[in-house]
Amino acid sequence: MDLSNPPMVDLLILGAGAAGMMAAIACGETALQLNQPRPRITVLEKNRQPGIKVLVCGGGRCNLTNAGDLDFLIAAFGRNGRFLAPSLRHFDNTRLRDWFAARGVPTHEEHDGKIYPDSNQARSVVAALTDRMEELGIVSRAGAAYAATAVAWLADRGLFEVVSANGAVHRARFLLICVGGQSYTRMGTTGDGYRLAAALGHRIVPPRPAIVPLVCQEPWIPGLQGLAVPDVEVRIETAAPLPRLATGKPTPSVNDLLFTHFGLSGPAVLNLSEIVAELLEKMSPVSLRVDFVRCRGPAELHALFRTWHDHEGRKLVKTLVGGIIPQRLAETLCRLAGIGPEHTCAGFTARQMHQLVEWLKGCRFHVYQTRGFKEAMVTAGGVRLDEVDPEALQSRVNPQLYFAGEILDLTGPSGGYNLQMAFSTGRLAGWSIARRIAALLDMYSLPQRRAAWGAGVSPARGSALWGAGVSPARGSALWGAGVSPAGGSASWGAGVPPARGSALWGAGVSPARGSALWGAGVSPTGGSASWGAGVPPARGSALWGAGVPPAGGSALWGAGVPPARGSALWGAGVSPAGGSASWGAGVSPAGGRRRGAPPRGEPPRGMRPRRCSARPPPGSAPPLDSPRPPGII
C-alpha cells in the first residue's frame, strides 16, 4: 500500500486514546449488528503506540471507571454534566465493565468506587482495545509521522482532507477528532485538536490545567514530602465574595491529601485544582483551608485534650496527637502551635489546646500557581458544547464532523470519571457514525455511493449525501446535478425533490410557493388560466379544467370538477346565482331534494367527478411508486 497516498475511507479518527479506540470499535461492531459491509476505518495516532495515556492512568493500574450510578456520574461533571447524559445512557459503567469482561479483562471495585482491572495492569486494558480493533479490520497508524498537521473540508466533494506530518493526504467521508486536550504534554496531548477544530469552524473555550498539583508558599511543606493524609476536607477560602467562575461554584472536596516537595496533591486537592487554576487568573494567591480531622468537632477535640491533660500528664503531646493524624504531621502541627517536641500533656495549656485545634481543623495553605499542563491529568475547556449535538456527538457546524473525549469542554474529578467519559463519548460517536454509513449504503448501492440524487430522493434535514457526497447545510453547494438551491431557485437538478419529502415536481422545476414553473412552464399565479397538464393548483383540489379559469363561481368549471368547498356539479353552464333555476341534475334549490335525487351538494349518479391522480399537492405524501426518501441519518 502506498502510505503517501492512502485510499479514501468512510471514517478517519484522529487520536488512538480511550475515546478514539472505543469509537473505532463501536463503528465496526455496529456495522456487524446491522448486517452491513465492514466500514473502512483508519485511526491516526501521533504517539509511538495506541493508548499511551491509558497506560499511565492510575499509576499504571488504570482506574478505568467509577461505580457510581448514572445521576452520580453526571453530577460529577458539574455544570456540563447534562451534556454527557446521552453518552452515559448509551454506554454506562456497567456496560463498560461487561465489555471488558467479555474481552478477558474482568474488573473489581476499590475504595471510593474506583474500578480497576483484576490484573491491576493498564496494558491489559489497552491490549483488549487494540486486539478488538485488529479483529474488526480497523487500520491503525501510530508514530510522529501520523500526527495531523492540517485539515480541510471540501464542500464541493463532501469530503475531509487531513494532511499528516509525513505529507500524506488522508480523505474521509466522516471525521472524528478525539486527540485529547493539552494535559500530560509528554504524552503527546499538546492542544493540536483545538487548532484542527477551529480550522473547521468551531469555537474553543480557553483551556486550563485540571486535576493538577498545586504549588504553595508555606516553607514547612517540603519537610512532609511524600506524606499522605486520608479523609481530609479541603475548601477554597477568600476574604471577598468569589467572582463568577466558568467552572461553577466551588464545593468542599473530601478525600486523601498528599504533601509534595512543592506543595499539595492527592485527590482532595486535585479535584479542586480546576477552580483554583481559574481563580489564579483573577487573583493570587488562592487560600485553601484543610480540615485534617473532619470527623471530630472543635468541642470534641478540646474535651480530648483536657482528658490528656488530666489523665495522660507524663505522655508527650505530639505522641498522643499522632494517634489521630500521621505522626510526621502531628509533630509539624504541634511545632506550629507552639508545642515543643518534649512538651508533655501535664503542661498542655488552654492556649496551646486552642492553637492546636485551629491547626488541625483549619490549616491554611496559600497557592500561587499550579504545576501546569505538564503535570495536569486532564484539560478544562475545549470545543464548545453548544456547537456539538450531545445525542450523537455530531458537530452542529458540519454534520459529517464528530468529537469525543477530552477535546470537549468536559472535566470530571479524579477517580475514573474522565476515562468513563472518554469511553462513553467514543462509543456513542462511533455508533452514530456507523448508522450514518449504513443509511448511505441503504440509499445507494456500492457502485453508486458517489452518484447524484436523481430519481426523486427526498433531502431529509441533515442527511448525509445530497449530491456527490455533499452535506445540505442550509443551502450548501450541490443538491442534484451541481445546482445550488438558493431560496427557491430555478432548477433543483434532474428530479430532485424540493420540499419536505415531496415527490418529483417535474424536470428541473422550482417548487417555491407559486414560483415559476409548476408543470409545463405554466405560472400558477393566484388561480390563473392554465395550471399545466394535470398539475394541482390549490390545497389538494382536483383538476380545474383544461385551461378554464375558475374565477369566483364563473360559468364552466370543467368537466365535472367541483368548484367550491367540495360541492357537486352546478349545472351544465348554469350560474348558481342565489337559488337560481337549476342547481344540477336533480338538485332541488328549495332546501330539499326530489325522490331518488342525490343529497344536496353531491353530483347525480354517473356524473361524480373522478379524483385527479396526476400529481399530489404541495406538502402531501409522495405517491407509492415514488423513490423512498431517506430519514435523518
Side-chain angles (χ1 to χ4, degrees):
M1 181 184 297
D2 181 10
L3 296 182
S4 64
N5 187 26
M8 176 178 158
V9 296
D10 297 302
L11 170 61
L12 180 64
I13 298 176
L14 304 183
M21 289 189 288
M22 185 57 78
I25 291 168
C27 188
E29 289 181 343
T30 304
L32 291 177
Q33 294 166 3
L34 296 174
N35 197 28
Q36 293 286 346
R38 179 178 291 176
R40 299 167 296 176
I41 304 171
T42 295
V43 183
L44 302 182
E45 170 58 50
K46 68 185 292 187
N47 287 302
R48 65 183 182 276
Q49 68 182 88
I52 195 74
K53 194 172 177 181
V54 179
L55 289 173
V56 301
C57 175
R61 296 178 58 212
C62 190
N63 176 198
L64 56 90
T65 185
N66 191 279
D69 61 18
L70 181 65
D71 291 337
F72 181 81
L73 295 176
I74 290 173
F77 285 82
R79 74 197 191 285
N80 290 337
R82 287 180 298 175
F83 179 92
L84 194 54
S87 297
L88 290 173
R89 284 195 296 266
H90 179 78
F91 196 63
D92 61 9
N93 47 12
T94 300
R95 291 187 177 93
L96 176 65
R97 296 180 69 179
D98 290 345
W99 188 91
F100 276 107
R103 307 298 306 168
V105 186
T107 56
H108 65 274
E109 180 180 346
E110 297 186 8
H111 71 285
D112 295 330
K114 296 177 181 178
I115 304 297
Y116 291 90
D118 287 354
S119 65
N120 285 316
Q121 294 180 343
R123 63 173 177 266
S124 64
V125 174
V126 174
L129 294 166
T130 55
D131 290 349
R132 185 56 173 157
M133 288 171 61
E134 185 175 353
E135 292 171 4
L136 293 169
I138 295 165
V139 177
S140 179
R141 307 291 183 202
Y146 296 101
T149 58
V151 62
W153 163 245
L154 307 182
D156 57 335
R157 300 174 61 189
L159 304 174
F160 290 99
E161 276 192 353
V162 177
V163 181
S164 54
N166 60 2
V169 179
H170 305 263
R171 296 177 178 85
R173 183 74 65 201
F174 296 97
L175 178 65
L176 171 61
I177 302 179
C178 44
V179 295
Q182 203 170 326
S183 57
Y184 266 4
T185 52
R186 66 180 184 276
M187 298 289 108
T189 47
T190 54
D192 301 340
Y194 305 138
R195 174 175 51 83
L196 299 175
L200 294 173
H202 277 269
R203 294 174 293 171
I204 306 300
V205 176
R208 63 175 61 90
I211 310 187
V212 59
L214 304 177
V215 183
C216 301
Q217 296 176 343
E218 282 64 30
W220 51 268
I221 290 178
L224 298 174
Q225 178 181 349
L227 176 64
V229 186
D231 197 27
V232 305
E233 180 183 272
V234 182
R235 293 175 178 267
I236 295 175
E237 190 175 66
T238 57
L242 284 172
R244 182 178 178 84
L245 302 173
T247 46
K249 184 178 180 180
T251 56
S253 175
V254 177
N255 214 303
D256 302 344
L257 179 144
L258 175 67
F259 288 96
T260 68
H261 66 283
F262 53 78
L264 302 176
S265 187
V269 171
L270 297 177
N271 291 339
L272 283 178
S273 61
E274 177 187 0
I275 300 176
V276 173
E278 185 178 359
L279 283 173
L280 286 172
E281 297 172 0
K282 309 175 187 301
M283 63 179 71
S284 182
V286 174
S287 177
L288 299 182
R289 179 173 177 171
V290 178
D291 185 347
F292 290 111
V293 284
R294 69 181 191 89
C295 293
R296 294 175 183 262
E300 181 182 352
L301 288 174
H302 277 287
L304 178 64
F305 295 162
R306 286 193 296 269
T307 300
W308 292 350
H309 178 272
D310 296 339
H311 303 286
E312 305 286 350
R314 299 179 61 181
K315 293 184 179 180
L316 297 177
V317 174
K318 68 177 184 181
T319 302
L320 294 182
V321 175
I324 58 176
I325 60 174
Q327 187 61 50
R328 288 170 59 195
L329 178 61
E331 294 174 2
T332 300
L333 295 186
C334 283
R335 186 179 73 250
L336 294 172
I339 302 171
E342 303 301 324
H343 202 104
T344 63
C345 292
F348 201 4
T349 67
R351 185 174 184 278
Q352 290 172 331
M353 292 179 186
H354 177 77
Q355 289 292 324
L356 185 56
V357 169
E358 287 294 309
W359 282 102
L360 287 169
K361 296 293 293 180
C363 185
R364 288 173 174 80
F365 298 88
H366 298 89
V367 181
Y368 64 92
Q369 68 181 43
T370 72
R371 294 290 282 183
F373 286 113
K374 184 177 180 180
E375 295 187 25
M377 297 182 188
V378 297
T379 307
V383 174
R384 286 178 59 112
L385 299 184
D386 59 354
E387 296 179 351
V388 180
D389 178 9
E391 299 291 339
L393 283 309
Q394 180 186 39
S395 164
R396 298 188 192 275
V397 176
N398 185 321
Q400 288 169 238
L401 173 64
Y402 290 76
F403 297 96
E406 192 181 340
I407 191 173
L408 295 165
D409 183 20
L410 289 168
T411 310
S414 64
Y417 302 92
N418 291 287
L419 259 185
Q420 176 68 58
M421 179 271 290
F423 285 127
S424 294
T425 55
R427 189 79 186 182
L428 179 58
W431 177 84
S432 302
I433 296 170
R435 291 174 64 85
R436 293 280 302 276
I437 295 172
L440 295 183
L441 294 177
D442 286 342
M443 284 195 297
Y444 307 105
S445 61
L446 285 174
Q448 297 172 333
R449 289 178 65 189
R450 298 172 183 83
W453 280 71
V457 181
S458 171
R461 296 178 184 172
S463 57
L465 298 177
W466 286 66
V470 181
S471 170
R474 293 184 181 176
S476 57
L478 300 177
W479 283 58
V483 181
S484 173
S489 58
S491 180
W492 290 70
V496 180
R500 294 184 184 172
S502 57
L504 293 178
W505 290 71
V509 182
S510 170
R513 294 185 182 175
S515 58
L517 301 179
W518 282 58
V522 181
S523 173
T525 54
S528 60
S530 180
W531 289 76
V535 180
R539 294 185 182 174
S541 58
L543 291 177
W544 288 71
V548 181
S554 59
L556 292 178
W557 289 75
V561 181
R565 295 183 183 173
S567 59
L569 293 176
W570 290 69
V574 180
S575 175
S580 59
S582 179
W583 285 71
V587 181
S588 170
R593 61 187 178 94
R594 293 198 314 266
R595 180 178 298 175
R600 182 175 179 175
E602 291 188 7
R605 295 178 182 176
M607 299 184 65
R608 297 180 184 176
R610 291 185 298 173
R611 184 183 300 276
C612 172
S613 59
R615 278 176 170 78
S620 64
L624 294 177
D625 59 349
S626 66
R628 177 174 63 87
I632 299 177
I633 58 174

